Amino acid sequence: MGLAPVWRLRAGGEDGAAEAIDVMPESAPVAAGPDRGNAQASLPAPPLPTEPVPEMRSARAAIPVRDLIPRPSGAASPAAASERRDDGDPARAGRIARMDWDELENDIRACGACRLCEKRRQAVPGVGDRRAEWMFVGEGPGSEEDQRGEPFVGAAGKLLDAMLAAIGLKRGENVYIANAVKCRPPHNRTPQADEIATCHPYLARQIELVRPRVLIALGRPAALALLDAEISIGASRGRVFHRGDTPVVVTYHPAYLLRNQADKAKAWEDLCFARRLMREFAERA
């Protein structure tokens, strides 16, 4: 695993002091936590490298990305999700589809369309560059996100920032970050399919406004929201799905990685794969 980056972040402990979190694969145990922003780990870590780390080599890395992009065919393909999904109330979905950014974010904050609004502190629309080439979609807000109104601000968010930095990206610069659902599910449980469907018009409109070159699904609920299909993350790695004409790359949620050290190297491979995909776009432009 010597070629993977050292994903190191700082997270506040219960007493407010900072504690180091080493996110490299290793055998040391990680404290169990919920699926999103407030997952915690406490491990010593070496300094974060200041130079980009070479991509991990694998059989997949030798294949040109353009040869890994099958175009969708037939209604059974998850790539046709945006055309097949039933968003419930057609009038509501149509109204959201015509909103500009300000209207959209105001509507998200005032939304009461599903039960998730009942216990939220505030809705969490999204954050970042509204014309970004990269769009990352997670599951839903955690407790810290619910308090601050911004996605990925807990320990998993710090890990996501480190992951972005490892491939030369930075939150707010050519990156937009959103979630499948905009309100925190009670006790950080996984959002249910009907909740994802109710929130889907918001996510769909965000994608239409951003017009990213690539979508990164962070975890199974995000993949469900983007592709309208239940998939296995492990079986989907190294493949390119499509949402309309936009390619979708599937990888693990950062909070999952905080609890499952062995899969961090796989997530690094996925990010390198997505970066190669973006380079292919640049070469064809």
Side-chain angles (χ1 to χ4, degrees):
M1 295 298 121
L3 294 177
V6 178
W7 287 334
R8 183 177 184 269
L9 56 98
R10 311 288 301 184
E14 293 180 359
D15 59 357
E19 57 181 356
I21 299 178
D22 178 11
V23 294
M24 275 293 295
E26 58 178 297
S27 59
V30 177
D35 263 351
R36 285 169 298 283
N38 55 346
Q40 297 279 336
S42 180
L43 295 170
L48 186 67
T50 56
E51 299 295 332
V53 182
E55 298 182 11
M56 296 185 69
R57 304 302 300 169
S58 66
R60 182 170 65 247
I63 304 174
V65 172
R66 58 181 168 268
D67 296 336
L68 297 170
I69 312 179
R71 297 304 305 172
S73 61
S77 170
S82 58
E83 300 174 1
R84 296 188 291 110
R85 183 187 295 275
D86 177 6
D87 283 320
D89 181 355
R92 173 176 174 269
R95 176 177 60 83
I96 293 171
R98 296 187 294 272
M99 291 179 177
D100 62 22
W101 274 111
D102 290 340
E103 293 171 326
L104 182 65
E105 294 195 351
N106 289 336
D107 205 72
I108 289 172
R109 292 189 177 97
C111 181
C114 81
R115 55 187 169 270
L116 292 184
C117 71
E118 297 172 0
K119 296 186 178 181
R120 75 181 182 211
R121 288 184 176 88
Q122 59 184 315
V124 182
V127 69
D129 183 348
R130 292 177 173 180
R131 292 295 183 184
E133 295 180 311
W134 296 79
M135 184 167 176
F136 289 75
V137 179
E139 178 176 332
S143 60
E144 293 187 53
E145 289 81 0
D146 186 45
Q147 293 178 33
R148 294 175 54 179
E150 180 178 336
F152 286 93
V153 294
K158 293 181 178 66
L159 172 54
L160 178 59
D161 289 345
M163 293 165 66
L164 294 175
I167 57 169
L169 298 175
K170 183 178 180 181
R171 181 187 294 245
E173 298 180 7
N174 203 26
V175 173
Y176 190 84
I177 302 171
N179 276 313
V181 298
K182 312 307 185 187
C183 299
R184 180 194 180 194
H187 309 294
N188 282 9
R189 66 163 170 78
T190 300
Q192 297 176 6
D194 64 319
E195 296 162 348
I196 291 174
T198 299
C199 225
H200 182 261
Y202 290 136
L203 177 62
R205 184 56 178 158
Q206 288 176 313
I207 294 170
E208 289 170 358
L209 290 169
V210 175
R211 299 178 65 187
R213 285 195 171 187
V214 65
L215 285 157
I216 310 295
L218 301 171
R220 291 179 62 229
L224 172 61
L226 292 174
L227 304 174
D228 196 20
E230 287 282 1
I231 65 169
S232 162
I233 299 297
S236 301
R237 295 181 58 249
R239 298 175 58 191
V240 179
F241 297 91
H242 285 84
R243 179 188 173 90
D245 292 329
T246 307
V248 179
V249 174
V250 176
T251 191
Y252 300 101
H253 192 285
Y256 167 87
L257 296 175
L258 287 175
R259 302 190 309 272
N260 295 271
Q261 302 281 319
D263 286 331
K264 289 167 187 170
K266 296 178 182 177
W268 169 238
E269 286 186 352
D270 297 338
L271 292 176
C272 292
F273 177 70
R275 183 171 60 182
R276 290 173 53 224
L277 178 64
M278 189 68 79
R279 287 174 178 167
E280 289 282 350
F281 284 137
E283 290 173 2
R284 292 199 296 266

